[in-house]
Amino acid sequence: MKQLLSRFKSLLVGQKLDTSRGVVVYTEPGCACSASAIELLRDEGVEPSIVMLEDHPDVRREHGAATPIVSIDGRVRFFGRVDAVLLKRILKHRRRQE
């Protein structure tokens, strides 16, 4: 089951979210992983938009219950724990594109 969930999530990473631009953290109240993700983003000089999943059941249906869901420029990049090294790499590439 764990492998199936992992394969499913890997298919969704990078999928477009039409409703969001910039950096968006979809979260739930009290989520420690979301707090860590937001802190990592702020440490990199990015102020993310924070969206509560309870207000967006469509996102929850499409991407599952793992939090945070981190979207960068409309693409889902992370589910659950955010990899700091990969985040820095994505943001570095993003800055070059601006």
Side-chain angles (χ1 to χ4, degrees), residues 37 40 70 77-90:
L40 277 171
V70 179
R77 297 297 186 173
F78 300 99
F79 290 92
R81 193 180 77 78
V82 173
D83 181 292
V85 174
L86 181 55
L87 175 66
K88 288 178 184 183
R89 196 175 299 156
I90 290 168

Short mmCIF file of all heavy atoms in Angstrom, two decimals, residues 37 40 70 77-90:
data_model
loop_
_atom_site.label_atom_id
_atom_site.label_comp_id
_atom_site.label_asym_id
_atom_site.label_seq_id
_atom_site.Cartn_x
_atom_site.Cartn_y
_atom_site.Cartn_z
N ALA A 37 7.65 23.86 6.38
CA ALA A 37 7.73 24.26 4.97
C ALA A 37 7.67 25.78 4.83
O ALA A 37 8.44 26.37 4.07
CB ALA A 37 6.59 23.62 4.18
N LEU A 40 10.98 27.21 5.92
CA LEU A 40 12.00 27.01 4.87
C LEU A 40 11.84 28.03 3.75
O LEU A 40 12.82 28.61 3.27
CB LEU A 40 11.89 25.61 4.28
CG LEU A 40 12.55 24.48 5.01
CD1 LEU A 40 12.14 23.14 4.39
CD2 LEU A 40 14.06 24.63 4.97
N VAL A 70 2.68 21.84 -1.46
CA VAL A 70 3.37 23.07 -1.84
C VAL A 70 3.35 23.19 -3.36
O VAL A 70 3.83 22.31 -4.07
CB VAL A 70 4.82 23.11 -1.32
CG1 VAL A 70 5.52 24.39 -1.76
CG2 VAL A 70 4.84 22.98 0.19
N ARG A 77 4.76 20.72 -6.13
CA ARG A 77 6.15 20.28 -6.00
C ARG A 77 6.37 19.35 -4.82
O ARG A 77 7.28 18.52 -4.85
CB ARG A 77 7.08 21.49 -5.87
CG ARG A 77 7.07 22.38 -7.08
CD ARG A 77 7.59 21.64 -8.28
NE ARG A 77 7.71 22.56 -9.41
CZ ARG A 77 8.26 22.21 -10.55
NH1 ARG A 77 8.72 21.00 -10.73
NH2 ARG A 77 8.33 23.09 -11.52
N PHE A 78 5.58 19.49 -3.76
CA PHE A 78 5.80 18.67 -2.57
C PHE A 78 4.48 18.26 -1.94
O PHE A 78 3.52 19.01 -1.96
CB PHE A 78 6.61 19.45 -1.51
CG PHE A 78 7.96 19.88 -1.97
CD1 PHE A 78 8.16 21.17 -2.43
CD2 PHE A 78 9.04 19.01 -1.95
CE1 PHE A 78 9.41 21.59 -2.86
CE2 PHE A 78 10.29 19.41 -2.38
CZ PHE A 78 10.48 20.71 -2.84
N PHE A 79 4.48 17.05 -1.37
CA PHE A 79 3.40 16.52 -0.53
C PHE A 79 4.03 16.16 0.79
O PHE A 79 5.06 15.47 0.82
CB PHE A 79 2.81 15.23 -1.11
CG PHE A 79 2.03 15.42 -2.36
CD1 PHE A 79 2.62 15.30 -3.60
CD2 PHE A 79 0.68 15.69 -2.29
CE1 PHE A 79 1.89 15.44 -4.75
CE2 PHE A 79 -0.06 15.84 -3.45
CZ PHE A 79 0.54 15.71 -4.68
N GLY A 80 3.44 16.56 1.88
CA GLY A 80 4.00 16.19 3.18
C GLY A 80 5.31 16.91 3.42
O GLY A 80 5.40 18.12 3.25
N ARG A 81 6.33 16.18 3.77
CA ARG A 81 7.63 16.79 4.09
C ARG A 81 8.26 17.44 2.87
O ARG A 81 8.26 16.89 1.78
CB ARG A 81 8.58 15.71 4.63
CG ARG A 81 9.82 16.27 5.26
CD ARG A 81 10.72 15.15 5.77
NE ARG A 81 11.45 14.50 4.70
CZ ARG A 81 12.53 14.99 4.12
NH1 ARG A 81 12.98 16.16 4.47
NH2 ARG A 81 13.14 14.32 3.16
N VAL A 82 8.82 18.64 3.07
CA VAL A 82 9.48 19.37 1.99
C VAL A 82 10.98 19.12 2.10
O VAL A 82 11.59 19.32 3.14
CB VAL A 82 9.17 20.88 2.09
CG1 VAL A 82 9.97 21.67 1.08
CG2 VAL A 82 7.67 21.12 1.89
N ASP A 83 11.57 18.69 1.00
CA ASP A 83 13.02 18.46 0.92
C ASP A 83 13.70 19.81 0.73
O ASP A 83 13.52 20.46 -0.31
CB ASP A 83 13.32 17.52 -0.24
CG ASP A 83 14.79 17.21 -0.36
OD1 ASP A 83 15.57 18.12 -0.69
OD2 ASP A 83 15.15 16.04 -0.11
N ALA A 84 14.49 20.23 1.71
CA ALA A 84 15.10 21.57 1.69
C ALA A 84 16.05 21.74 0.50
O ALA A 84 16.08 22.80 -0.13
CB ALA A 84 15.84 21.82 3.00
N VAL A 85 16.83 20.72 0.18
CA VAL A 85 17.79 20.82 -0.93
C VAL A 85 17.05 20.98 -2.25
O VAL A 85 17.39 21.85 -3.06
CB VAL A 85 18.72 19.58 -0.95
CG1 VAL A 85 19.61 19.59 -2.18
CG2 VAL A 85 19.56 19.53 0.32
N LEU A 86 16.03 20.18 -2.46
CA LEU A 86 15.26 20.28 -3.70
C LEU A 86 14.52 21.61 -3.77
O LEU A 86 14.47 22.25 -4.82
CB LEU A 86 14.28 19.12 -3.81
CG LEU A 86 13.42 19.07 -5.06
CD1 LEU A 86 14.28 19.10 -6.33
CD2 LEU A 86 12.54 17.84 -5.04
N LEU A 87 13.98 22.07 -2.65
CA LEU A 87 13.30 23.37 -2.62
C LEU A 87 14.26 24.48 -3.04
O LEU A 87 13.92 25.32 -3.88
CB LEU A 87 12.73 23.66 -1.24
CG LEU A 87 12.10 25.04 -1.08
CD1 LEU A 87 10.87 25.18 -1.94
CD2 LEU A 87 11.79 25.32 0.38
N LYS A 88 15.47 24.48 -2.49
CA LYS A 88 16.46 25.51 -2.85
C LYS A 88 16.79 25.46 -4.34
O LYS A 88 16.91 26.49 -4.99
CB LYS A 88 17.72 25.34 -2.01
CG LYS A 88 17.52 25.74 -0.58
CD LYS A 88 18.77 25.51 0.24
CE LYS A 88 18.48 25.82 1.70
NZ LYS A 88 19.66 25.68 2.55
N ARG A 89 16.89 24.26 -4.88
CA ARG A 89 17.19 24.10 -6.30
C ARG A 89 16.06 24.65 -7.17
O ARG A 89 16.30 25.36 -8.15
CB ARG A 89 17.42 22.61 -6.59
CG ARG A 89 18.10 22.36 -7.91
CD ARG A 89 18.41 20.90 -8.11
NE ARG A 89 19.32 20.43 -7.08
CZ ARG A 89 19.43 19.16 -6.70
NH1 ARG A 89 18.69 18.23 -7.25
NH2 ARG A 89 20.29 18.80 -5.77
N ILE A 90 14.83 24.34 -6.79
CA ILE A 90 13.66 24.83 -7.55
C ILE A 90 13.59 26.35 -7.48
O ILE A 90 13.37 27.03 -8.50
CB ILE A 90 12.37 24.20 -7.01
CG1 ILE A 90 12.31 22.71 -7.36
CG2 ILE A 90 11.13 24.92 -7.57
CD1 ILE A 90 11.22 21.95 -6.63
#
